[in-house]
Amino acid sequence: MLALLGFATIAIFLLLIITKRLSVNTALVLVPLAMGAMAGFSPKELGEMILAGIKQVAPTGILLMFAVLYFATMLDAGLFDPIIAAIIRYVQGDPLKVIVGTAILTMIVHLDGDGTATFMIVMSAFLPIYRQLQINRLVLPGIVALSVGPLHLVPWSGTSARAISTLKTDAAQLIAPNIPAILAGIVWVLAVAYWFGLKERKRLGINALTFVHRDNLTDAQRQLRRPRLVWLNAILTIGLILTLMKGWVPAPALFVTASALALLINYPKLSEQQQVLRAHGNNIFMVSSMIFAAGVFSGILTGSKMIDAMAGSLVSAIPAQHAAWLPTLTAVTSMPASLLFTPDAYYFGVIPIVSQSAAQFGIDPLEIGRAALLGQMTVGFPVSPLTASTFLLVGLAEVDLGDHQRFTLKWAFGTTLVMTIVALLTGSIHL
């Protein structure tokens, strides 16, 4: 009975968000509540399950909230402006340098884990250059889409946050073992960019280029820029990332402190701080509230034992001799799964069942999470029709979504395959 109710919870949740009948937050709360009541649990019992689930995801919600605020502040302050200007000066009119420079800049800017902000910054910086040099109009959105993929595995991206909260773990356990795979993905993307660059240089040659990044900023962006503080912001950011990787300070506490320092250093006036907070408040609330709603979902499914019952049913259907393939199969199918499942549907609906099933075969459930992150709404989100940022990307580039997918999909799948191979070789996942 519990297994049936559990599968019904997942199915109804997927149906409601795929058909857009309910918002993700609403579905995450109301669907498991209704099913928990049908299973015979009292309001008090359901309340205790909800509280337990929220406590589990609270560190992730705090991490995500303040990490987005920190990097948004750095973008507003112009931390990456010198890098953008240097890349533009370096590339001159050489298509090869322009395309590789696009990949490098995209990866740097996407350290904040926000695809929408990355697309807006990089597209506004490079679109005039691509037009002036007459580079294939599909190359810019294609390279930008590929470049955000490996970097979207950072712990503070929305996708990683979903995986962390679903598996009730932390960034050190889930993300750190994937670092060699992430680095391999970065190398692959740079190699693809170099290949595209060679083709465009051969087709177009090298031409003169006149473009100044600062002239393309809006008045509002200029007012928030703090060019004198670039070095201080860079030192703060490097120290933050180093501390995060070393695990010297718990990530939520680290980002709470760093975001407060970033605001105070760059915008000491209260009115300026409020301006930055208002500008990014909607983004921060939408993502962090989803994480706490996911705590309700996972808390009820776990506390009611529905997850255990579903996993038991799935285990009985999987031949024991093939169980070891679960992490690899999850990794290989993760990028194409971005075309079928939203991140909420996949990480809150599919991964809990697969990871729990893997655990019953003696496989570390975290391997399923690491495998999923190698493609599902990381490498896959900039080509998925299920994410709004994809439409922003193709809209800014003024290209058709179908053309963008045909141009980019095979290279994106290549990124996932490369990262999967390295993950297997380094023991992030096992065969």
Side-chain angles (χ1 to χ4, degrees):
M1 178 64 175
L2 279 178
L4 182 61
L5 285 174
F7 284 118
T9 302
I10 302 297
I12 293 170
F13 169 72
L14 295 178
L15 180 64
L16 288 173
I17 63 173
I18 289 172
T19 59
K20 299 184 178 179
R21 298 296 178 92
L22 288 180
S23 68
V24 172
N25 285 6
T26 306
L28 280 170
V29 173
L30 296 185
V31 174
L33 262 178
M35 290 299 175
M38 287 180 63
F41 293 99
S42 69
K44 183 180 179 181
E45 289 173 321
L46 290 172
E48 290 172 350
M49 293 176 198
I50 289 172
L51 187 58
I54 290 175
K55 286 180 179 178
Q56 287 279 355
V57 302
T60 301
I62 294 168
L63 165 66
L64 187 61
M65 184 187 308
F66 287 97
V68 171
L69 175 59
Y70 177 85
F71 284 104
T73 302
M74 288 299 162
L75 288 170
D76 285 342
L79 172 61
F80 304 113
D81 284 1
I83 300 171
I84 296 173
I87 289 174
I88 291 172
R89 281 198 306 271
Y90 174 73
V91 301
Q92 298 297 322
D94 185 348
L96 172 60
K97 293 179 179 178
V98 168
I99 294 170
V100 174
T102 304
I104 293 171
L105 177 64
T106 303
M107 292 174 185
I108 293 171
V109 174
H110 199 61
L111 280 170
D112 73 336
D114 184 346
T116 300
T118 300
F119 294 159
M120 292 181 69
I121 292 167
V122 177
M123 294 299 290
S124 63
F126 274 95
L127 188 57
I129 299 174
Y130 276 69
R131 284 176 174 167
Q132 187 171 331
L133 295 178
Q134 298 183 337
I135 296 174
N136 181 345
R137 64 196 183 100
L138 292 172
V139 170
L140 176 57
I143 285 298
V144 171
L146 291 173
S147 301
V148 298
L151 271 296
H152 207 63
L153 275 75
V154 294
W156 47 86
S157 75
T159 304
S160 295
R162 288 173 175 90
I164 291 169
S165 63
T166 294
L167 294 167
K168 301 179 180 62
T169 183
D170 56 36
Q173 292 182 301
L174 185 66
I175 308 297
N178 265 347
I179 290 176
I182 295 170
L183 295 175
I186 290 171
V187 172
W188 164 261
V189 170
L190 291 175
V192 173
Y194 187 83
W195 168 250
F196 286 157
L198 284 177
K199 290 173 64 178
E200 289 301 291
R201 177 197 273 177
K202 182 178 180 180
R203 184 174 71 88
L204 299 169
I206 300 175
N207 302 295
L209 175 66
T210 55
F211 180 79
V212 180
H213 170 65
R214 187 164 181 82
D215 293 346
N216 285 267
L217 296 177
T218 65
D219 290 339
Q221 288 173 324
R222 288 194 184 95
Q223 288 175 4
L224 290 174
R225 288 304 194 261
R226 297 293 184 266
R228 295 183 198 176
L229 298 175
V230 164
W231 285 108
L232 182 56
N233 285 331
I235 292 169
L236 182 62
T237 302
I238 292 169
L240 170 71
I241 294 173
L242 180 63
T243 304
L244 182 70
M245 292 177 65
K246 292 291 185 178
W248 291 330
V249 179
L254 178 63
F255 273 102
V256 168
T257 306
S259 61
L261 283 174
L263 275 173
L264 181 63
I265 290 169
N266 290 282
Y267 308 107
K269 295 181 181 178
L270 177 60
S271 59
E272 294 172 334
Q273 294 177 14
Q274 289 175 331
Q275 182 180 351
V276 173
L277 290 169
R278 279 195 296 268
H280 303 288
N282 185 58
N283 247 359
I284 293 169
F285 172 77
M286 290 300 292
V287 178
S288 58
S289 64
M290 176 200 65
I291 296 303
F292 288 107
V296 176
F297 189 87
S298 62
I300 291 176
L301 286 183
T302 302
S304 65
K305 306 297 182 183
M306 289 185 196
I307 284 282
D308 293 337
M310 287 188 289
S313 299
L314 190 59
V315 165
S316 64
I318 299 175
Q321 64 269 27
H322 299 313
W325 283 88
L326 271 175
T328 305
L329 183 63
T330 302
V332 172
T333 59
S334 60
M335 199 288 294
S338 300
L339 304 177
L340 302 174
F341 297 99
T342 66
D344 306 296
Y346 190 80
Y347 287 100
F348 299 143
V350 176
I351 288 303
I353 300 174
V354 179
S355 61
Q356 195 74 6
S357 301
Q360 296 197 29
F361 283 111
I363 300 169
D364 185 353
L366 295 184
E367 289 194 26
I368 300 299
R370 293 184 201 123
L373 286 171
L374 296 178
Q376 212 287 333
M377 288 303 179
T378 50
V379 174
F381 90 88
V383 294
S384 173
L386 303 177
T387 56
S389 55
T390 301
F391 293 97
L392 173 66
L393 176 63
V394 297
L396 290 171
E398 298 179 1
V399 300
D400 180 73
L401 175 61
D403 292 337
H404 169 64
Q405 289 175 325
R406 281 190 293 273
F407 184 84
T408 310
L409 272 173
K410 61 183 177 183
W411 304 106
F413 187 60
T415 305
T416 294
L417 287 181
V418 167
M419 292 200 297
T420 299
I421 291 169
V422 173
L424 287 167
L425 291 175
T426 57
S428 174
I429 61 175
H430 296 89
L431 183 62

